[in-house]
Amino acid sequence: MAETAVSLAREHLLPKIVEAVKMLRDLPKEVADITEELESFQDFINDADQVAEAEEDDGRRDRIKKRVMRLREAAFRMEDIIDEYSIHEENNTDDPRCAALLCEAVEFIKTRILQLQIAYKIQDVKSLVCAERDGFQKQFPLPTKPSGSRGNQNVTWHKLRMDPLFLEQDEVVGFESPRRTLNNWLIEGREERTVISVVGLAGVGKTTLAKQVFDYVHNNFECHALITVSQSYTVEGLLRDMLHQFCKEKMENHPADVSTMDRRSLIEEVRKQLRNKRYVVMFDDVWNEKFWDDVESAVIDNKNKSRILITTRYEKVADFCKKSSFIEVHKLEEPLSEEECFRLFCNKAFKYSFDGHCPEEFKDISLEIVRKCKGLPLAIVAIGGLLSQKDFCVNEWILFSQNLSLELERNSELNSIAKILSFSYYDLPYNLRSCLLYFGMYPEDYEVKSSRLIRQWVAEGFVKRETGKTLEEVARQELSGLIRRSLVQVSSFSIDGKVNGCRVHDLIHSMIRRKAKETGFCQHFGEHNESVSSGIVRRLTITTDSNDLVGIERSHIRSILFPRKEELTEQFMDKMFSKYMPLRVLDFENVGLLNVPKALLNLIHLKYLCFRNSWIESLPKSIGKLQNLEILDVRQSKVLHIPKEIRKIRKLRYLLGDEISFVATKDCLGSMTFLEKIRVLRVDDEGVVIRELGKLKQLRNMRISGFRAEHTKSLCSSIHEMQFLEVLDIHVDYGHQVIDLPHMSSLSTLRKLFLYGKLKKMPNWIPQLQNLVKLSLGFSRLSNDPLESLKDIPNLLFVSISNNAYVGETLYFKDEGFRKLKELRLKDLDKLNSIFIEKGTLPSLEKLVLKEIPKLRKVPSGIEHLEKLQVLKMKDMPIEFEQSIAGDGGQDHWMIRHVPRVQIKMSLLNIVAKANDMYRRSLLTDAFSQQPAQI
């Protein structure tokens, strides 16, 4: 019997054990293999996707897209397995000796079982990927060379794309100002050859504008040519096209062997045609940033005002020309005015029925449709052309407007708009596509703070680390790339020129939402009764707490956003997060959330967790379970105390709050060595937190409150350990507390400095900060004019002096100081009664704010010299000050007449006080006027 058992074990069990051991040994290699295979597979999916996009037959296109979605789902499974392995490895650093300990033997076995499960999953997913790839190729074979997105164009698209090249002068609407600018650049200017680029979003009118200007000026040149470039071009084809046009213009025959010439011969022929001539060549629709390398040697520089005119969606195309040519760039960012859009729409919709005039009964609905186009000529022309074919029935047009998003997707004459916009999407690298699609997580016309977006990209893994840069710095580069491609619009900048807020055009947003749904990238739930699709969904935006949602497949979801302000019920939250999800991003910003759901604390993959502007009052001790968390945001919530268990989150890089107390864990703060940003950290009475900060050598942004003079030595010591510190913000609790930080030579990387507390004198290390762009002083009580110390800081862009930071009577801007300063704020300075500005100082100042300066009764002397001043804001200033600059007779009004925006505001309290003062004066005046005359 025993022999039989041994025999069976040898025959059946032993091979299984050997196989399992081999699988465990080979697991790291297998993971590396499928990681490499994933990149190849994503390229295959990209090619398949473009085949689907180019297919004209609706039925076949839908079948291809269904198969492409199956390919994507296989790729999602690969990604999940790679992530599962990574998390497992990071959280289980095995020591083989631990197996010898009985108390750890069980954990050792569990680890090996998990690893074995991953190994079997890899086998399964490899088979799935192979089957899906082969199945797709068998049913819809890809061409040997993947067809470009321009390979199979339908007639409607081609007409929309080419129409701008053949518009008559009277058909063009708008562009008066940019047309004058381009005319001047083309005809006037330098002798050297100059490249002039018109850059902007697809459909914004680049070709229309450039072609109109080209037609207007080309007779000023001896040679001219207009070449359509597009994405798929050959250099030889461009050169032959140029030769044909030059020869045709001179009514000459082109060289007989032009069709067989190689590139060098073609270049020589083009140069021969252009030698000693003044020429203009327009290259329309340039995509490749290195395009200039292909043509630069052919377009000879004759030093006689020759010009190259380029239209492109990609700003880098223009930048690439800088290395060997002068350039001028016009960004076509300003949309057409509503009046111009309406006129353009009427030209298309009513041209052949009402002589281009809108019937009165159609005006309201026509304006509504035009506004939805957000100034994009491409959409206005296409929609106007389509409506011109419909019955002129107001109710039918109203229905069309209400369903415009659906019409853009399903109407064959309008989906060409989305197709034109989608070319920019397909031109993006794979990771940038994901970055762009992420805008689809947010509602239409939503302004996203760049810091929020960038952190979400990083948490999602869209950004790859680069040597010498943080992940956030790399992500900001990626955002700039989308902006330079005219896909993302900047809505606001910070003082140092960084993108602060951004959004996408509504039509780009529609294209993104369509792509996101097609690719399983993300889906909205609760919007227009939209339900979650049956396939794999990677990300969710939830605007409802309906229990219908809890039945969806959640094992592949990586991000959830809740762009709503209503309260989420505890019942919904518990059900929503009761099942496993590999979530990386969970954003409750602005959501009515009272407590942190217990189920959240099992989301071990989570990297980004935001409760900003929610109602939560505390973080549970179990927060320490989120060992992969990198960003925790509790700003504008009621969270004040951090539990000591947070020290277990070793990877935490950003800890953001309004005021965070580490009393419970002050001795452990130093163990969180990955921290890069912490705000606002409340200092404990003993100053232990200050000493612990010295262990956080990666800190780049630090704001502390409750600082006291006795903490000075510890803080200086800690700051000296922070070689990457860029932002330092120190607040005291009481005005008498002194901030005295001597010998801070280690702060060479500092860019922003905020000191709110008493200063004995202006610290001598501040003027040495070569990288400082922003400085704010409050409660400093400096008696000496601080401007003398600050005026020569080379990169200073913003200065705020407030809350009696200066207690002198005069501020003097002199000696041509503050060369780069853009914004100056002076606020709540009780003794200040005069400001002098010498001519030549503050030459770059764009914004000046004066607020609550009770003794300043006259506008700063010399303000008339500030030629770049755009905004002058004043609030709660003395009535004499306001009267002196009043436009209806103020004696100093002439000094601010050149400022475009002058704003005078008053708080309600001051309005009442000044009204009472004026009332008392009027009573006195009346009393004097009623006294009998003295004889």
Side-chain angles (χ1 to χ4, degrees), residues 28-67:
K29 180 181 181 301
E30 289 293 310
V31 173
D33 286 347
I34 69 161
T35 302
E36 186 175 336
E37 170 66 14
L38 177 60
E39 292 184 14
S40 169
F41 193 49
Q42 285 169 338
D43 289 339
F44 181 84
I45 293 171
N46 178 49
D47 295 341
D49 200 23
Q50 293 195 47
V51 167
E53 191 72 18
E55 178 57 54
E56 293 183 24
D57 182 87
D58 291 344
R60 181 176 170 84
R61 182 170 61 247
D62 288 344
R63 291 195 300 275
I64 296 174
K65 284 187 175 181
K66 285 179 182 177
R67 288 303 302 246

Side-chain angles (χ1 to χ4, degrees), residues 770-787:
Q770 300 292 301
N771 295 304
L772 194 69
V773 297
K774 196 168 186 176
L775 174 66
S776 189
L777 302 174
F779 306 103
S780 310
R781 304 198 67 80
L782 293 167
S783 55
N784 294 328
D785 187 342
L787 302 181

Side-chain angles (χ1 to χ4, degrees), residues 593-717:
L593 190 67
L594 291 169
N595 299 297
V596 178
K598 294 178 182 177
L600 291 190
L601 304 168
N602 296 318
L603 302 173
I604 61 170
H605 293 261
L606 204 60
K607 292 188 175 184
Y608 177 103
L609 180 58
C610 178
F611 296 110
R612 186 173 186 177
N613 200 26
S614 68
W615 304 341
I616 66 168
E617 296 182 352
S618 62
L619 295 172
K621 293 180 180 180
S622 47
I623 191 79
K625 291 182 179 180
L626 303 179
Q627 294 189 22
N628 290 290
L629 196 64
E630 296 182 6
I631 296 162
L632 177 60
D633 190 345
V634 292
R635 287 173 291 180
Q636 297 165 296
S637 69
K638 298 179 182 179
V639 175
L640 296 177
H641 297 278
I642 298 294
K644 63 182 179 181
E645 285 75 14
I646 202 163
R647 71 184 187 277
K648 296 178 182 177
I649 310 178
R650 301 287 182 173
K651 297 179 183 178
L652 197 64
R653 298 188 299 115
Y654 283 69
L655 181 54
L656 310 175
D658 295 319
E659 188 168 66
I660 300 172
S661 172
F662 266 81
V663 170
T665 185
K666 58 187 178 184
D667 296 322
C668 307
L669 177 62
S671 66
M672 301 168 68
T673 54
F674 279 83
L675 273 176
E676 296 178 18
K677 182 173 183 176
I678 185 167
R679 56 164 296 181
V680 177
L681 180 63
R682 178 80 187 171
V683 178
D684 61 298
D685 292 340
E686 298 82 15
V688 175
V689 163
I690 295 284
R691 293 195 294 274
E692 286 288 297
L693 283 173
K695 300 174 184 177
L696 307 181
K697 300 182 188 297
Q698 299 299 316
L699 268 184
R700 296 170 182 268
N701 189 318
M702 176 176 69
R703 181 176 179 181
I704 59 176
S705 66
F707 178 81
R708 295 204 298 273
E710 56 264 35
H711 301 147
T712 299
K713 186 175 179 180
S714 296
L715 183 60
C716 289
S717 176

Side-chain angles (χ1 to χ4, degrees), residues 627-855:
Q627 294 189 22
N628 290 290
L629 196 64
E630 296 182 6
I631 296 162
L632 177 60
D633 190 345
V634 292
R635 287 173 291 180
Q636 297 165 296
S637 69
K638 298 179 182 179
V639 175
L640 296 177
H641 297 278
I642 298 294
K644 63 182 179 181
E645 285 75 14
I646 202 163
R647 71 184 187 277
K648 296 178 182 177
I649 310 178
R650 301 287 182 173
K651 297 179 183 178
L652 197 64
R653 298 188 299 115
Y654 283 69
L655 181 54
L656 310 175
D658 295 319
E659 188 168 66
I660 300 172
S661 172
F662 266 81
V663 170
T665 185
K666 58 187 178 184
D667 296 322
C668 307
L669 177 62
S671 66
M672 301 168 68
T673 54
F674 279 83
L675 273 176
E676 296 178 18
K677 182 173 183 176
I678 185 167
R679 56 164 296 181
V680 177
L681 180 63
R682 178 80 187 171
V683 178
D684 61 298
D685 292 340
E686 298 82 15
V688 175
V689 163
I690 295 284
R691 293 195 294 274
E692 286 288 297
L693 283 173
K695 300 174 184 177
L696 307 181
K697 300 182 188 297
Q698 299 299 316
L699 268 184
R700 296 170 182 268
N701 189 318
M702 176 176 69
R703 181 176 179 181
I704 59 176
S705 66
F707 178 81
R708 295 204 298 273
E710 56 264 35
H711 301 147
T712 299
K713 186 175 179 180
S714 296
L715 183 60
C716 289
S717 176
S718 292
I719 289 175
H720 278 302
E721 299 297 322
M722 302 172 190
Q723 57 178 318
F724 304 113
L725 196 64
E726 295 181 1
V727 180
L728 177 61
D729 192 332
I730 303 173
H731 284 241
V732 303
D733 275 353
Y734 309 104
H736 66 271
Q737 289 290 333
V738 177
I739 301 176
D740 184 16
L741 304 177
H743 314 302
M744 300 300 292
S745 57
S746 62
L747 291 174
S748 59
T749 55
L750 205 66
R751 300 181 67 252
K752 299 178 183 180
L753 176 63
F754 307 86
L755 298 176
Y756 293 90
K758 189 175 181 180
L759 297 173
K760 292 180 180 178
K761 62 177 183 177
M762 178 64 71
N764 58 12
W765 49 268
I766 292 181
Q768 309 304 316
L769 299 175
Q770 300 292 301
N771 295 304
L772 194 69
V773 297
K774 196 168 186 176
L775 174 66
S776 189
L777 302 174
F779 306 103
S780 310
R781 304 198 67 80
L782 293 167
S783 55
N784 294 328
D785 187 342
L787 302 181
E788 185 63 32
S789 300
L790 304 176
K791 65 182 177 64
D792 295 322
I793 299 178
N795 292 299
L796 199 57
L797 302 173
F798 174 98
V799 168
S800 173
I801 302 174
S802 66
N803 301 96
N804 288 316
Y806 174 57
V807 292
E809 296 181 352
T810 303
L811 280 175
Y812 208 136
F813 294 87
K814 59 182 180 178
D815 298 335
E816 299 187 348
F818 299 98
R819 302 298 300 171
K820 291 187 178 181
L821 199 71
K822 291 184 177 181
E823 184 170 341
L824 173 64
R825 293 174 179 258
L826 303 173
K827 173 189 172 185
D828 195 11
L829 303 174
D830 292 344
K831 295 187 178 181
L832 184 66
N833 59 36
S834 56
I835 299 173
F836 296 95
I837 302 171
E838 279 188 3
K839 188 173 183 178
T841 197
L842 296 167
S844 304
L845 196 70
E846 297 173 0
K847 184 175 183 179
L848 174 61
V849 179
L850 303 172
K851 185 177 179 182
E852 298 176 44
I853 311 178
K855 293 186 178 180

